[in-house]
Amino acid sequence: MTHRLPRIALLATGGTIAGLADDASDLIGYRAAQLGIADLLARMPALDGLATLVPEDIAAIDSKDATPAFWQAVGQRVQAAVDDPDIDAVVLTHGTDTLEETAWYLQLTLRTRKPVVLTGAMRPASAALPDGPQNLADAVRVAADPRAAGRGVLVVMNARILAARRVAKQHTTSIDAFGLRDDAVGAVYDGATRWRDPVPARIPAPPFSVQTPLAPVDIVVGYAGCSTAPIDALVAEGVAGLVWAGTGNGAVPTAVASRLRAAVDAGVVVVRASRSGRGAVTRCAPDDDQPFLHSGDLDPGKSRVLLMLALGAGEPAAALQGHFDALASPRVTP
Ligand code: SIN
């Protein structure tokens, strides 16, 4: 019997991993999304006998320019790849700036148990010591591992395997920009994948698909003495939802509460989230008195993606908090 290597669709979208600077010592002043997937593969360490790669350039952007339409286009391409019986897994190269939003969008919309792994780089391909080639090789190694199946969308950066649910860029320039050690579901080292936990028995089925429309939702950030003008302007613009990225436990200053209340009265759904980075936003007085949802431990960006999909799907108002509760992490950081 001949052993068939896993066939992995390698879909490229641009980012720093495909970026070039004029000088190998320049790690900042580069142009993202300059190389195609064939060039990235030529620079990747050899992974002989591990997988058959099926490369394709599907976009060439700096991920700061990603939009909901980009998420949908990428999502539809990835869904088509995992629906192909000849494809066993997908690796997606992506800019790191909004990688966590695309990963979470894919987590909420893809219908598959096949591994889907995102990776990128903090240093351009032209750097003397780029991190992209190793990250790409590690991502392929993870995608080729049958134990990656059924874990939802994964991100591989700097030898760490992270779940889309918790991944976040936490440093502006370091190659160790993604996730803290306790957040990793596994690691790649010594040429092998190591998993921290067994495959979860059941991941909640994504309530949406890559065809689900995305409603307009914006984020407003709280800080001492913050203006309420952005809230009124966004409501006047016709936003369907607002995520309040408050201080602490999603706290809402008194002056802001009345404007958010007016937004709700105008038909806008308001979710309280936190700019703090770790921990959960729970129901608490006096915000209990307000008709606001709370995000659990979803950060403001991930709360926004979820609300865009829920509102786009036409979910009834009474069902919205349930989506946040259902996606609450079993590993909330105390
Ligand atoms: C981008 O997000 O496309 C540029 C920055 C990066 O990939 O690190």
Side-chain angles (χ1 to χ4, degrees), residues 14-17 30 32 61-64 94-98 121-122 169:
T16 293
I17 192 169
Y30 57 87
I61 68 163
D62 184 317
S63 79
K64 69 183 179 188
H94 195 290
T96 63
D97 279 359
T98 63
M122 294 298 293
K169 186 171 181 177

Side-chain angles (χ1 to χ4, degrees), residues 210-228:
V210 293
Q211 307 299 338
T212 304
L214 288 145
V217 175
D218 275 278
I219 300 172
V220 184
V221 181
Y223 47 89
C226 57
S227 164
T228 57

